[in-house]
Amino acid sequence: MSFLDRFRDTSPKSASLAKERLKIIVAHERKTRNAPAYLPALQRDLLAAINKYVDIDMDQLQVNISEEDNQSILELNLTLPPK
Amino acid sequence: MAEIIVVTSGKGGVGKTTTSAALSMGLAQAGKKTVVIDFDIGLRNLDLIMNCERRVVFDFVNVIQGDSNLSQALIKDKRCENLYILPASQTRDKDALTIEGVEKILNELSDSFDYIICDSPAGIEHGAQMALYFADTAIVVTNPEVSSVRDSDRILGILQSKSRRAEAGIEPVKEKLLLTRYNPTRVEKGEMLSVDDVLEILAIPLLGVIPEDESVLKSSNEGKPVILEEKSLAGQSYSDSVQRFLGAELEHRFLDGEKKGFLKRVFGG
Ligand SMILES: Nc1ncnc2c1ncn2[C@@H]1O[C@H](COP(=O)(O)OP(=O)(O)O)[C@@H](O)[C@H]1O
Ligand SMILES: [Mg+2]
């Protein structure tokens, strides 16, 4: 670290960045924790199908399965890239 | 009936063994009959921290496999008469631990002890699951650092789904957070997650905060649980945590960094 660097504020502070990243990943993992075992494979296949038409990354496709009153809901959330 | 406590974390190197040694010594000093079991099969270390490595004759796996009985394998601590250690074996066969084998030993210990502390290996596989399976209480050891917090959350998930209590559908394992290797000065600079940050994410009750402290290394060199270093910050915080575990209401200490003067702040200290 140079002498002048000590005067500079390096915001955003790395701890708050760590916290934001943790909130997201932990929430995601809690959701998938109770999901059926086939979910990751389903997600991969869906991604492959979508990628035939548009180019997206794994994290642009969210697949959730939730249970409500005796029925399961499969929810897809897809962010398309800007045109 | 003993209370079974697992000291767990997911991630390695966060302070589980340091904590198991301190907690078991603290409970024993408080007059509770305590036994601490090393579940880290193949990588035994608790014996070194407890300074009994030269007294190990039989181990946990020997007892499970019927090569020795429990009383031959238990090592009595020389500093505190209420404390016993059951060392892990150095065999490479991690699957030597079975639910039935562990249960038999815990049942036998349960008759004569108040507390059974299980020092978990790292990871979330077989060994870690064996260590937590029978727990009544889990002490989740976490460092203020992203990978440790995430792994702790995964261990909480396992406690809530794969423990005996979860499988039996009875009252869940009590979860307590022990935040260790905490550096208040770095927290104040915004370089390290704070207690509140970690509590907000993991959302379990806080047992204690153990500062990063050089005396931990020193006491491990000497084979002395750091709680016996009564003047050290880590020793005092472990001691507070034991009192809290036993029901005392104590303020958390050592959460503030050294207040630095202007020059020190500018030029580093
Ligand atoms: N509060 C602390 N301050 C400084 N060093 C610590 C502290 N707690 C643990 N350590 C060090 O961290 C390392 C890992 O600790 P250990 O208890 O063996 O972790 P684990 O059992 O989770 O793998 C050891 O070198 C130990 O001395
Ligand atoms: Mg260990």
Side-chain angles (χ1 to χ4, degrees), chain B residues 7-9 11-20 40 45 49 119-122 141 143 179-182 210-221 226 234 238:
Chain B
V7 178
T8 185
S9 72
K11 194 170 177 346
V14 296
K16 291 180 293 297
T17 300
T18 305
T19 298
S20 300
D40 207 341
N45 270 328
I49 304 299
D119 180 18
S120 175
V141 180
N143 292 167
L179 193 58
T180 66
R181 311 201 67 166
Y182 194 72
I210 313 295
E212 172 80 19
D213 183 352
E214 286 169 13
S215 31
V216 174
L217 177 62
K218 179 172 170 285
S219 66
S220 76
N221 289 339
V226 70
Y238 271 120

Side-chain angles (χ1 to χ4, degrees), chain A residues 3 6-7 13-15 18-19 21-23 25-26 29-30 33, chain B residues 146 149-150 153-154 157 189-193 197 200-201 266-267:
Chain A
F3 176 74
R6 293 191 189 275
F7 291 95
K13 294 284 197 257
S14 59
K19 187 177 173 189
R21 290 172 55 218
L22 273 169
K23 275 188 178 166
I25 188 68
V26 163
E29 287 177 348
R30 281 178 191 163
R33 201 174 277 161
Chain B
V146 284
V149 176
R150 178 204 212 169
D153 193 66
R154 297 188 67 189
K189 286 187 191 151
E191 297 171 355
M192 185 180 262
L193 290 163
D197 291 341
E200 189 184 322
I201 288 161
V266 172
F267 294 106

